Every structure is written in C-alpha cells, then in structure tokens.
Amino acid sequence: MAASAAMERLRYTLVLLLLLHGTNSFYVPGVAPINFHRNDPVEIKAVKLTSSRTQLPYEYYSLPFCQPTKITYKAENLGEVLRGDRIVNTPFQVSMNVEKKCEVLCNFPNKPVTLTVEQSKLIAERIREDYYVHLIADNLPVATRLEFYSNREEEEKKKEKDVQFEHGYRLGFMDGNKFYLHNHLSFILYYHREDVEENQEPTYRVVRFEVIPQSIKLEDLKADEKSMCTLPEATGSAPQEIDPSKENQLLFTYSVHWEESDIKWASRWDTYLTMSDVQIHWFSIINSVVVVFFLSGILSMIIIRTLRKDIANYNKEDDIEDTMEESGWKLVHGDVFRPPQYPMILSSLLGSGIQLFCMILIVIFVAMLGMLSPSSRGALMTTACFLFMFMGVFGGFFAGRLYRTLKGHRWKKGAFCTATLYPGVVFGICFVLNCFIWGKHSSGAVPFPTMVALLCMWFGISLPLVYLGYYFGFRKQPYDNPVRTNQIPRQIPEQRWYMNKFVGILMAGILPFGAMFIELFFIFSAIWENQFYYLFGFLFLVFIILVVSCSQISIVMVYFQLCAEDYRWWWRTFLVSGGSAFYVLIYAIFYFVNKLDIVEFIPSLLYFGYTALMVLSFWLLTGTIGFYAAYMFVRKIYAAVKID
C-alpha cells in the first residue's frame, strides 16, 4: 500500500540520518521486530474487554476465563493506564509454525469448568452489552475477519468478496432471549519468512493475528485425558448456551493454524489501519481544504481591499470629516486598547490555550512522522500529558506578558491562576467521572497511585514551569500598542442585531468547524468505537487549515465590530473565535443519538463528561488562535493610520 511504503521510506530516512550522526542503531519506539525460530513460544496476552455500548473497559480476568498458574501483569505506561489497558498473560500455548487442531485450555479435560450462578449472570450481562475481547500476539491485536458481498454485478459477486476486519472478537451472541458464549477460539497466525544465509536456521516474524470464535456445546467437544479434543462438523454442532439462572458447565478450547504471508513486517499494521474507506476520507479532506481555501481567499481579498481604502482615506490631509462619517474604526482609536474586565482570567485562559496549542502541534507533527504509531501502546496519550506539563513555560510566558500589557500588577496570583484554572477544571471533572467508573469496578478507572502521580506532575512540573514563564513574561516589555488610550471612555452607539455576541459565535464557528468536520467523525470513531486512528498527516493538514480559518474569521469579526464603534473586543474576540466549539458540541450530541447505542446512565454521563472536556479544550484552542490573530491585526491597522 502507498501509506505503508511511505512510512517504510520515512523510517529508512530517519535511520540514515541518525546513522550519519554516529548512532549505531535506531528503531521507532514500539516497533522493534522480534525474530522467532520454529517451536519458539509466541505469547498470547489479553488486553481488556470493551464495548461501545457502555464505554467501560474491564480486565480480562474480570470474567471466569481459564487462568495460568501465575498471573503476571505487564507494567503499563501512563497512556495505557488512562486507556484502561491491563495487559496480562494467558494460558494459551502457541509455538511458532506449530499447528494445533484442538486443545482444552484449562487442564481438566474430564472435569468441565463450572460457572456459578453469579458468574453466569455476569457473562450473560457482558454478552447483552456487546463486549469484545482483545488479545495480542507479538504486540499485534487480534482481529475477526468479516466477509461480505458489495453491491456489484451478479457475475462479480460469485468471484470476489469484500473483506473487513473488526478489532477483537465478540464475547458471545444472543438469539432471542438466550445467551451463547464463544468458548472455542481458532487462531490463525500469519508469518513472514526472513531471508537468511544457507547454513542458518530460518527465522519468522508474526505479521497478522486473526481469530474465528465459535460457540460449541460441551457434549459436542470430545476431550481425552491428554487435553486434546475433537471439533464437531459445523452442520451438526450446537452452541454453548449460558443460562443466567443456574450453574453452567462448559469447556474452553482453542486451535492454532499458521500460514505463510508475503506481508513484510514493516507493513503488518496495514490490515488494522485500513478498516474504513480511505477513498471517502481522501475525498472529504480535499473537499474541505478546497472549500476553506476558497472562502479564506475571498475573505482575505475583501478585507485587504477594504482596509487599503480605509487607510488611504484616513491618511488624506484634506476632507477628514467626511471620511470619519463613512467608517468608524478610526473613531475608537482612543479606546481600542483600553484594558478589559477581568484581565487576569483572560490572560490565564489564553495561557492555557497556548499550552494546548503547543502540545497539539508537537504531538500531531511527531505522530505524522510515525513515532507515535498504534503499535506503541499508550505512547500518544503519555506524550500528550507530558508535553502539556512542559509547555507550561510557554503558556506562562504569554499569559504574563499579556497580563502586564493589560496593566495587571499581581503577577504571582496571575501565574497561580494560569497554572490551576483550566487544569483544575479538567482534574475536577475527571475525578468525579472516575468515582463513577470505580463504582463499576472497570479497568478504565484511574488507580489511586496514578492519580497521585498526575497530581505530582501537575504541581511538581507544570506549576513551577508556569511560574517561571510568567515571571519572565511579566518582566519583558509589554506589547507595544501604537496609539494612546483616552482617560474617559467613549460612548458606544446602539448595536445592530447581527452584532450580538451570540450571533457572532454562530457565524464565526461555521468556517472552522467545516474545516474539521470530516476529521471529527474519524476521531470520534477512534475514541468511542475502539477504532485505531492513524491518519495524522490528514490531521496535521486539517490543524493548519483550522488555524488559518480561525485567524481569518476572527479578523473579519473584529473589523466589523470596530467599524460599528464597539471597542470592547478583548473578551468578545476570544469568545467568538471559539464559536466552532459550539458546533462540536452539537455534533457530539448528534453522534451520541445516531451512531452510539448507549442507554444506561453512567456510560451516558461518561460520554458527555469527556465531551465537555473536549469542547472546553477546543474552545480554548480556537479562542486563543483567534484572539492573537485579532490582536496582531488591530495593532497593525492602527499603526498604519495617522492619529492627530
């Protein structure tokens, strides 16, 4: 595939560059290959159980699956813990290139597993909630193959099926009011034979991990004393029912089949990353880019031509009175830089917006280079958390300098407000939601030690860095405003209805939201439907378009406001520039109603709680971009006219 070839070339380029700098070896984090010889053990690990209906992940052994002699949990990074991953070993015995027809998983072939009534109820509930089981082999997630016919001609239908994969496998299924458990797993592992010298033993690499889950009744699984079993024919087997009102007996079994594949190790994730229609993605992104650039070009042309005319008229020596009657933005020159209300809160919110902007820009750029691929589990979230902490120095610097420009004096209080206002709201909402997740005994609940570690990062890294940046920003020369502020405020004339701030929010939010609307669908699918998100090149392009569209809309809105002789633009620009966050909220509600099948209270609370955090963060990000664009614009136009 083109995407895999591009990533492979990029990796080779990075390797070459680092070799030139004297580095002996280099691997993109999380993607170092493992070579296996025949009969080498390939460990099958469990990650978690997930459902898009409840949004509550659970540990693998929260259900009565067969357990190994010693349960060992992998040491997770911060991102894995926050995602609810609890990677643990399983009793599956899989060896490289060694087939297994059917084997009993628990070591009691003559003594089936007996599920208590409570365990049977729990399994039935998880099946009703449509839970999936996620396993990994050599860091590759298990996938279930789905084959179907597309809307083709009848002759073509007979020849070819469309194949898609879904992550994990279904725990079971329902037929009417009865519950059936998938108790037999047919593993299909694909390997790629590596090129070796003649005398050396051949080496293999795992390149795909598929599973065919089956439900087979206890009586149909004929097991002997050696833990071997015989699978019935597909036509004559009955599924394994789980009756939640009584004890149930069953056997957990599995089989292993190996196939050689031409897929190289560097391209092995392509199967998992091409589960959606890439052509639609391409078309939608290009469509958004063209529309946004077209509208941006029109806006830029109109505003530049209008401004040139205004400035030329204002700078004429004669006929000044007539020009003042024509347009009003020069009339408010003595008030346009008057400090707004609550300058500390405004500078604090803008400082947090700068933190978010720097963090998102770096994360998307690094991910675009392939360094935060899905194979490196939790790396994206871990990097984002640490970057937000370290970007506090930039947030503090910009907030401190703006606070001084707005005639603020209490810099220590301003620095504390910058370091705690937005993170405090995020931590408060997450803590409340975490209490509900704890109550459900979900692995998605952040453990207490992790929460303490996050608090230590906040107060031990982010807070001091914000203070440091704020100190230097406050000491730096304030922004140079080109005109003086009058002592007596000018009276603001009555404004037209379309100059209302709420109308402005609705108008200003359309263009930036249109720039990212399609990408938002894929991001929501990745978050709420357990899909992999990997198109960071598209996301970087969309982010640049978002910055451009937010800046231009903000400039247009502040220009209209000043022409209406309303100089209270500081807060208004920040609020209006973040107008696209309102449309993100509306889209999130639409997505919840039309795409998700969530009916319970706690999953709904989790969805809207985390959505509120996303909308708040997006509002801060877009508001900050628009504010600084408008501020630069206002300073530029007032510096270009002659003020008597």
Short mmCIF file of all heavy atoms in Angstrom, two decimals, residues 161-207:
data_model
loop_
_atom_site.label_atom_id
_atom_site.label_comp_id
_atom_site.label_asym_id
_atom_site.label_seq_id
_atom_site.Cartn_x
_atom_site.Cartn_y
_atom_site.Cartn_z
N LYS A 161 -15.25 -11.55 -2.74
CA LYS A 161 -15.90 -10.98 -1.57
C LYS A 161 -15.06 -9.82 -1.05
O LYS A 161 -13.85 -9.81 -1.20
CB LYS A 161 -16.03 -12.04 -0.46
CG LYS A 161 -16.98 -13.16 -0.75
CD LYS A 161 -17.02 -14.13 0.42
CE LYS A 161 -17.96 -15.29 0.15
NZ LYS A 161 -17.97 -16.24 1.28
N ASP A 162 -15.76 -8.87 -0.43
CA ASP A 162 -15.05 -7.80 0.27
C ASP A 162 -14.72 -8.28 1.67
O ASP A 162 -15.54 -8.92 2.34
CB ASP A 162 -15.91 -6.54 0.34
CG ASP A 162 -15.89 -5.79 -0.98
OD1 ASP A 162 -14.97 -6.04 -1.77
OD2 ASP A 162 -16.77 -4.95 -1.21
N VAL A 163 -13.52 -7.97 2.12
CA VAL A 163 -13.06 -8.41 3.44
C VAL A 163 -12.79 -7.19 4.31
O VAL A 163 -12.12 -6.25 3.88
CB VAL A 163 -11.78 -9.27 3.33
CG1 VAL A 163 -11.30 -9.67 4.72
CG2 VAL A 163 -12.04 -10.50 2.49
N GLN A 164 -13.34 -7.19 5.52
CA GLN A 164 -13.02 -6.19 6.52
C GLN A 164 -12.70 -6.91 7.81
O GLN A 164 -13.01 -8.08 7.99
CB GLN A 164 -14.19 -5.22 6.73
CG GLN A 164 -14.31 -4.17 5.64
CD GLN A 164 -15.26 -3.06 6.02
OE1 GLN A 164 -15.89 -3.09 7.07
NE2 GLN A 164 -15.39 -2.07 5.16
N PHE A 165 -12.05 -6.19 8.71
CA PHE A 165 -11.68 -6.76 10.00
C PHE A 165 -12.22 -5.88 11.11
O PHE A 165 -12.24 -4.65 10.99
CB PHE A 165 -10.15 -6.86 10.13
CG PHE A 165 -9.52 -7.82 9.16
CD1 PHE A 165 -9.14 -7.41 7.90
CD2 PHE A 165 -9.33 -9.14 9.52
CE1 PHE A 165 -8.56 -8.29 7.00
CE2 PHE A 165 -8.76 -10.03 8.63
CZ PHE A 165 -8.37 -9.61 7.37
N GLU A 166 -12.66 -6.51 12.18
CA GLU A 166 -13.03 -5.75 13.37
C GLU A 166 -12.11 -6.15 14.51
O GLU A 166 -11.67 -7.30 14.61
CB GLU A 166 -14.50 -5.95 13.74
CG GLU A 166 -14.90 -7.36 14.09
CD GLU A 166 -16.38 -7.47 14.46
OE1 GLU A 166 -17.09 -6.46 14.31
OE2 GLU A 166 -16.81 -8.55 14.88
N HIS A 167 -11.82 -5.19 15.37
CA HIS A 167 -10.85 -5.41 16.45
C HIS A 167 -11.42 -6.36 17.50
O HIS A 167 -12.57 -6.21 17.92
CB HIS A 167 -10.48 -4.09 17.11
CG HIS A 167 -9.98 -3.07 16.14
ND1 HIS A 167 -8.82 -3.24 15.44
CD2 HIS A 167 -10.48 -1.88 15.74
CE1 HIS A 167 -8.63 -2.19 14.65
NE2 HIS A 167 -9.63 -1.36 14.81
N GLY A 168 -10.58 -7.32 17.91
CA GLY A 168 -11.01 -8.26 18.92
C GLY A 168 -12.03 -9.25 18.38
O GLY A 168 -12.25 -9.37 17.18
N TYR A 169 -12.65 -10.00 19.29
CA TYR A 169 -13.73 -10.91 18.90
C TYR A 169 -14.87 -10.79 19.91
O TYR A 169 -14.67 -10.43 21.06
CB TYR A 169 -13.24 -12.36 18.81
CG TYR A 169 -12.87 -12.99 20.13
CD1 TYR A 169 -13.82 -13.65 20.91
CD2 TYR A 169 -11.57 -12.92 20.63
CE1 TYR A 169 -13.48 -14.23 22.13
CE2 TYR A 169 -11.22 -13.49 21.84
CZ TYR A 169 -12.19 -14.15 22.58
OH TYR A 169 -11.86 -14.71 23.79
N ARG A 170 -16.07 -11.07 19.42
CA ARG A 170 -17.24 -10.94 20.29
C ARG A 170 -17.21 -11.99 21.39
O ARG A 170 -16.91 -13.16 21.13
CB ARG A 170 -18.53 -11.09 19.48
CG ARG A 170 -18.80 -9.92 18.54
CD ARG A 170 -20.08 -10.18 17.74
NE ARG A 170 -20.30 -9.11 16.77
CZ ARG A 170 -21.01 -8.01 17.03
NH1 ARG A 170 -21.55 -7.85 18.22
NH2 ARG A 170 -21.16 -7.09 16.11
N LEU A 171 -17.54 -11.56 22.59
CA LEU A 171 -17.58 -12.50 23.72
C LEU A 171 -18.61 -13.59 23.47
O LEU A 171 -18.39 -14.76 23.81
CB LEU A 171 -17.90 -11.73 25.01
CG LEU A 171 -18.05 -12.55 26.28
CD1 LEU A 171 -16.74 -13.23 26.63
CD2 LEU A 171 -18.53 -11.66 27.43
N GLY A 172 -19.72 -13.22 22.88
CA GLY A 172 -20.78 -14.19 22.59
C GLY A 172 -21.84 -13.53 21.75
O GLY A 172 -21.64 -12.46 21.19
N PHE A 173 -22.99 -14.19 21.68
CA PHE A 173 -24.09 -13.62 20.89
C PHE A 173 -25.41 -14.02 21.52
O PHE A 173 -25.48 -14.92 22.38
CB PHE A 173 -24.00 -14.09 19.43
CG PHE A 173 -24.11 -15.58 19.26
CD1 PHE A 173 -25.34 -16.19 19.00
CD2 PHE A 173 -22.98 -16.39 19.35
CE1 PHE A 173 -25.44 -17.56 18.84
CE2 PHE A 173 -23.07 -17.77 19.20
CZ PHE A 173 -24.30 -18.35 18.94
N MET A 174 -26.47 -13.33 21.11
CA MET A 174 -27.82 -13.61 21.60
C MET A 174 -28.69 -14.10 20.47
O MET A 174 -28.56 -13.64 19.33
CB MET A 174 -28.43 -12.34 22.23
CG MET A 174 -27.80 -11.89 23.52
SD MET A 174 -28.60 -10.40 24.19
CE MET A 174 -30.26 -11.03 24.53
N ASP A 175 -29.57 -15.01 20.80
CA ASP A 175 -30.57 -15.49 19.86
C ASP A 175 -31.90 -15.50 20.61
O ASP A 175 -32.16 -16.39 21.42
CB ASP A 175 -30.21 -16.89 19.35
CG ASP A 175 -31.15 -17.36 18.25
OD1 ASP A 175 -32.00 -16.55 17.82
OD2 ASP A 175 -31.04 -18.52 17.82
N GLY A 176 -32.70 -14.48 20.35
CA GLY A 176 -33.90 -14.30 21.15
C GLY A 176 -33.52 -13.84 22.54
O GLY A 176 -32.81 -12.84 22.71
N ASN A 177 -33.96 -14.57 23.55
CA ASN A 177 -33.60 -14.25 24.94
C ASN A 177 -32.54 -15.19 25.48
O ASN A 177 -32.31 -15.23 26.70
CB ASN A 177 -34.85 -14.31 25.84
CG ASN A 177 -35.82 -13.19 25.51
OD1 ASN A 177 -35.41 -12.07 25.20
ND2 ASN A 177 -37.12 -13.50 25.56
N LYS A 178 -31.88 -15.95 24.61
CA LYS A 178 -30.86 -16.90 25.06
C LYS A 178 -29.47 -16.33 24.78
O LYS A 178 -29.26 -15.61 23.80
CB LYS A 178 -31.03 -18.24 24.35
CG LYS A 178 -32.32 -18.97 24.75
CD LYS A 178 -32.41 -20.34 24.10
CE LYS A 178 -33.66 -21.08 24.55
NZ LYS A 178 -33.75 -22.44 23.95
N PHE A 179 -28.52 -16.69 25.66
CA PHE A 179 -27.14 -16.20 25.57
C PHE A 179 -26.22 -17.36 25.22
O PHE A 179 -26.32 -18.45 25.80
CB PHE A 179 -26.70 -15.57 26.91
CG PHE A 179 -27.58 -14.45 27.37
CD1 PHE A 179 -28.66 -14.70 28.20
CD2 PHE A 179 -27.34 -13.15 26.98
CE1 PHE A 179 -29.49 -13.68 28.63
CE2 PHE A 179 -28.14 -12.11 27.41
CZ PHE A 179 -29.23 -12.38 28.23
N TYR A 180 -25.30 -17.09 24.29
CA TYR A 180 -24.35 -18.12 23.86
C TYR A 180 -22.93 -17.55 23.94
O TYR A 180 -22.67 -16.43 23.48
CB TYR A 180 -24.65 -18.57 22.43
CG TYR A 180 -26.02 -19.19 22.29
CD1 TYR A 180 -27.09 -18.42 21.83
CD2 TYR A 180 -26.25 -20.52 22.63
CE1 TYR A 180 -28.36 -18.97 21.71
CE2 TYR A 180 -27.52 -21.09 22.51
CZ TYR A 180 -28.57 -20.31 22.06
OH TYR A 180 -29.81 -20.86 21.95
N LEU A 181 -22.03 -18.32 24.52
CA LEU A 181 -20.65 -17.88 24.75
C LEU A 181 -19.72 -18.49 23.69
O LEU A 181 -19.84 -19.68 23.37
CB LEU A 181 -20.19 -18.31 26.15
CG LEU A 181 -18.73 -18.03 26.51
CD1 LEU A 181 -18.50 -16.52 26.66
CD2 LEU A 181 -18.34 -18.75 27.79
N HIS A 182 -18.80 -17.68 23.17
CA HIS A 182 -17.77 -18.19 22.27
C HIS A 182 -16.69 -18.85 23.13
O HIS A 182 -15.82 -18.18 23.69
CB HIS A 182 -17.16 -17.05 21.45
CG HIS A 182 -18.06 -16.58 20.35
ND1 HIS A 182 -18.21 -15.25 20.02
CD2 HIS A 182 -18.88 -17.27 19.49
CE1 HIS A 182 -19.07 -15.14 19.02
NE2 HIS A 182 -19.48 -16.34 18.68
N ASN A 183 -16.75 -20.17 23.23
CA ASN A 183 -15.82 -20.90 24.10
C ASN A 183 -14.71 -21.61 23.35
O ASN A 183 -13.80 -22.17 23.96
CB ASN A 183 -16.58 -21.91 24.96
CG ASN A 183 -17.33 -22.93 24.12
OD1 ASN A 183 -17.86 -22.60 23.06
ND2 ASN A 183 -17.35 -24.17 24.58
N HIS A 184 -14.75 -21.57 22.00
CA HIS A 184 -13.64 -22.13 21.21
C HIS A 184 -13.08 -21.04 20.30
O HIS A 184 -13.83 -20.37 19.57
CB HIS A 184 -14.10 -23.31 20.35
CG HIS A 184 -13.01 -23.85 19.47
ND1 HIS A 184 -12.04 -24.72 19.93
CD2 HIS A 184 -12.71 -23.61 18.17
CE1 HIS A 184 -11.20 -25.00 18.95
NE2 HIS A 184 -11.59 -24.33 17.87
N LEU A 185 -11.76 -20.87 20.33
CA LEU A 185 -11.09 -19.86 19.52
C LEU A 185 -10.17 -20.54 18.52
O LEU A 185 -9.27 -21.31 18.92
CB LEU A 185 -10.29 -18.89 20.40
CG LEU A 185 -11.07 -18.12 21.47
CD1 LEU A 185 -10.13 -17.24 22.28
CD2 LEU A 185 -12.17 -17.28 20.84
N SER A 186 -10.37 -20.28 17.26
CA SER A 186 -9.48 -20.79 16.21
C SER A 186 -8.53 -19.65 15.82
O SER A 186 -8.93 -18.72 15.11
CB SER A 186 -10.28 -21.26 15.00
OG SER A 186 -11.14 -22.31 15.35
N PHE A 187 -7.29 -19.73 16.30
CA PHE A 187 -6.30 -18.70 15.99
C PHE A 187 -5.69 -18.97 14.62
O PHE A 187 -5.28 -20.11 14.33
CB PHE A 187 -5.18 -18.66 17.03
CG PHE A 187 -5.65 -18.22 18.39
CD1 PHE A 187 -5.33 -18.96 19.52
CD2 PHE A 187 -6.39 -17.06 18.55
CE1 PHE A 187 -5.74 -18.57 20.77
CE2 PHE A 187 -6.81 -16.65 19.80
CZ PHE A 187 -6.49 -17.40 20.91
N ILE A 188 -5.61 -17.95 13.79
CA ILE A 188 -4.91 -18.03 12.50
C ILE A 188 -3.81 -16.98 12.54
O ILE A 188 -4.10 -15.78 12.53
CB ILE A 188 -5.87 -17.78 11.32
CG1 ILE A 188 -7.06 -18.72 11.39
CG2 ILE A 188 -5.14 -17.92 10.00
CD1 ILE A 188 -8.14 -18.41 10.37
N LEU A 189 -2.58 -17.43 12.59
CA LEU A 189 -1.44 -16.51 12.65
C LEU A 189 -0.66 -16.59 11.34
O LEU A 189 -0.38 -17.69 10.83
CB LEU A 189 -0.52 -16.85 13.83
CG LEU A 189 -1.12 -16.57 15.20
CD1 LEU A 189 -1.54 -17.88 15.85
CD2 LEU A 189 -0.11 -15.86 16.11
N TYR A 190 -0.31 -15.44 10.81
CA TYR A 190 0.44 -15.34 9.56
C TYR A 190 1.88 -14.95 9.90
O TYR A 190 2.11 -14.08 10.74
CB TYR A 190 -0.18 -14.28 8.65
CG TYR A 190 -1.55 -14.64 8.13
CD1 TYR A 190 -2.67 -14.53 8.95
CD2 TYR A 190 -1.73 -15.07 6.82
CE1 TYR A 190 -3.94 -14.85 8.48
CE2 TYR A 190 -3.00 -15.39 6.33
CZ TYR A 190 -4.09 -15.28 7.17
OH TYR A 190 -5.34 -15.60 6.70
N TYR A 191 2.81 -15.63 9.23
CA TYR A 191 4.23 -15.32 9.47
C TYR A 191 4.91 -14.96 8.15
O TYR A 191 4.48 -15.38 7.08
CB TYR A 191 4.95 -16.49 10.15
CG TYR A 191 5.03 -17.74 9.30
CD1 TYR A 191 6.07 -17.94 8.39
CD2 TYR A 191 4.06 -18.74 9.41
CE1 TYR A 191 6.15 -19.08 7.61
CE2 TYR A 191 4.12 -19.88 8.64
CZ TYR A 191 5.16 -20.04 7.74
OH TYR A 191 5.22 -21.18 6.96
N HIS A 192 5.96 -14.17 8.26
CA HIS A 192 6.79 -13.84 7.10
C HIS A 192 8.17 -14.44 7.32
O HIS A 192 8.81 -14.18 8.34
CB HIS A 192 6.90 -12.32 6.93
CG HIS A 192 7.72 -11.92 5.74
ND1 HIS A 192 7.26 -11.97 4.44
CD2 HIS A 192 9.00 -11.46 5.66
CE1 HIS A 192 8.19 -11.57 3.62
NE2 HIS A 192 9.26 -11.25 4.31
N ARG A 193 8.61 -15.25 6.36
CA ARG A 193 9.93 -15.90 6.47
C ARG A 193 11.01 -14.89 6.07
O ARG A 193 10.98 -14.34 4.97
CB ARG A 193 9.99 -17.12 5.57
CG ARG A 193 11.23 -18.01 5.80
CD ARG A 193 11.30 -19.04 4.69
NE ARG A 193 10.15 -19.91 4.68
CZ ARG A 193 10.10 -21.09 5.32
NH1 ARG A 193 11.15 -21.51 5.98
NH2 ARG A 193 9.01 -21.83 5.25
N GLU A 194 11.94 -14.65 6.96
CA GLU A 194 13.01 -13.69 6.71
C GLU A 194 14.13 -14.34 5.89
O GLU A 194 14.36 -15.55 5.99
CB GLU A 194 13.57 -13.15 8.03
CG GLU A 194 12.57 -12.35 8.85
CD GLU A 194 12.08 -11.13 8.10
OE1 GLU A 194 12.92 -10.32 7.68
OE2 GLU A 194 10.86 -10.99 7.93
N ASP A 195 14.84 -13.55 5.10
CA ASP A 195 15.97 -14.05 4.31
C ASP A 195 17.17 -14.27 5.21
O ASP A 195 17.61 -13.36 5.93
CB ASP A 195 16.33 -13.03 3.21
CG ASP A 195 15.20 -12.87 2.20
OD1 ASP A 195 14.46 -13.85 1.98
OD2 ASP A 195 15.07 -11.76 1.64
N VAL A 196 17.69 -15.50 5.18
CA VAL A 196 18.88 -15.83 5.98
C VAL A 196 19.88 -16.55 5.08
O VAL A 196 19.57 -16.96 3.96
CB VAL A 196 18.52 -16.72 7.19
CG1 VAL A 196 17.67 -15.96 8.20
CG2 VAL A 196 17.80 -18.00 6.74
N GLU A 197 21.10 -16.70 5.60
CA GLU A 197 22.11 -17.43 4.84
C GLU A 197 21.80 -18.92 4.82
O GLU A 197 21.00 -19.42 5.62
CB GLU A 197 23.49 -17.17 5.46
CG GLU A 197 23.92 -15.70 5.36
CD GLU A 197 25.29 -15.48 5.98
OE1 GLU A 197 25.93 -16.48 6.35
OE2 GLU A 197 25.69 -14.31 6.07
N GLU A 198 22.44 -19.65 3.96
CA GLU A 198 22.10 -21.05 3.71
C GLU A 198 22.21 -21.92 4.96
O GLU A 198 21.37 -22.75 5.23
CB GLU A 198 23.01 -21.62 2.61
CG GLU A 198 22.73 -21.03 1.24
CD GLU A 198 23.58 -21.68 0.18
OE1 GLU A 198 24.32 -22.63 0.50
OE2 GLU A 198 23.52 -21.22 -0.98
N ASN A 199 23.27 -21.74 5.74
CA ASN A 199 23.52 -22.62 6.88
C ASN A 199 22.72 -22.22 8.12
O ASN A 199 22.73 -22.95 9.12
CB ASN A 199 25.01 -22.63 7.22
CG ASN A 199 25.85 -23.16 6.06
OD1 ASN A 199 25.38 -24.01 5.31
ND2 ASN A 199 27.07 -22.65 5.92
N GLN A 200 22.07 -21.10 8.10
CA GLN A 200 21.37 -20.63 9.29
C GLN A 200 19.94 -21.16 9.35
O GLN A 200 19.32 -21.44 8.32
CB GLN A 200 21.34 -19.10 9.32
CG GLN A 200 22.71 -18.46 9.59
CD GLN A 200 22.60 -16.95 9.71
OE1 GLN A 200 21.64 -16.35 9.25
NE2 GLN A 200 23.60 -16.34 10.33
N GLU A 201 19.45 -21.27 10.57
CA GLU A 201 18.07 -21.71 10.78
C GLU A 201 17.13 -20.59 10.36
O GLU A 201 17.36 -19.42 10.67
CB GLU A 201 17.87 -22.02 12.27
CG GLU A 201 16.53 -22.66 12.58
CD GLU A 201 16.38 -22.95 14.07
OE1 GLU A 201 17.37 -22.78 14.81
OE2 GLU A 201 15.27 -23.33 14.47
N PRO A 202 16.06 -20.91 9.64
CA PRO A 202 15.15 -19.85 9.18
C PRO A 202 14.48 -19.13 10.35
O PRO A 202 14.16 -19.74 11.38
CB PRO A 202 14.13 -20.60 8.32
CG PRO A 202 14.21 -22.02 8.76
CD PRO A 202 15.63 -22.25 9.19
N THR A 203 14.27 -17.83 10.17
CA THR A 203 13.60 -17.03 11.19
C THR A 203 12.27 -16.52 10.63
O THR A 203 12.13 -16.31 9.43
CB THR A 203 14.46 -15.83 11.63
OG1 THR A 203 14.75 -15.01 10.49
CG2 THR A 203 15.76 -16.31 12.25
N TYR A 204 11.33 -16.31 11.55
CA TYR A 204 9.99 -15.90 11.16
C TYR A 204 9.58 -14.68 11.96
O TYR A 204 10.04 -14.46 13.10
CB TYR A 204 8.98 -17.03 11.41
CG TYR A 204 9.39 -18.37 10.85
CD1 TYR A 204 10.07 -19.30 11.64
CD2 TYR A 204 9.07 -18.72 9.55
CE1 TYR A 204 10.43 -20.54 11.14
CE2 TYR A 204 9.43 -19.96 9.03
CZ TYR A 204 10.11 -20.86 9.83
OH TYR A 204 10.47 -22.08 9.32
N ARG A 205 8.68 -13.90 11.35
CA ARG A 205 8.10 -12.76 12.07
C ARG A 205 6.58 -12.81 11.93
O ARG A 205 6.06 -13.08 10.84
CB ARG A 205 8.61 -11.42 11.50
CG ARG A 205 10.08 -11.15 11.83
CD ARG A 205 10.55 -9.86 11.21
NE ARG A 205 11.95 -9.59 11.52
CZ ARG A 205 12.66 -8.56 11.04
NH1 ARG A 205 12.07 -7.71 10.21
NH2 ARG A 205 13.92 -8.39 11.37
N VAL A 206 5.89 -12.54 13.02
CA VAL A 206 4.42 -12.54 13.03
C VAL A 206 3.93 -11.27 12.33
O VAL A 206 4.32 -10.17 12.69
CB VAL A 206 3.87 -12.60 14.46
CG1 VAL A 206 2.34 -12.60 14.45
CG2 VAL A 206 4.40 -13.83 15.19
N VAL A 207 3.05 -11.45 11.33
CA VAL A 207 2.59 -10.29 10.56
C VAL A 207 1.07 -10.11 10.58
O VAL A 207 0.56 -9.09 10.13
CB VAL A 207 3.07 -10.35 9.09
CG1 VAL A 207 4.58 -10.19 9.02
CG2 VAL A 207 2.62 -11.63 8.41
#
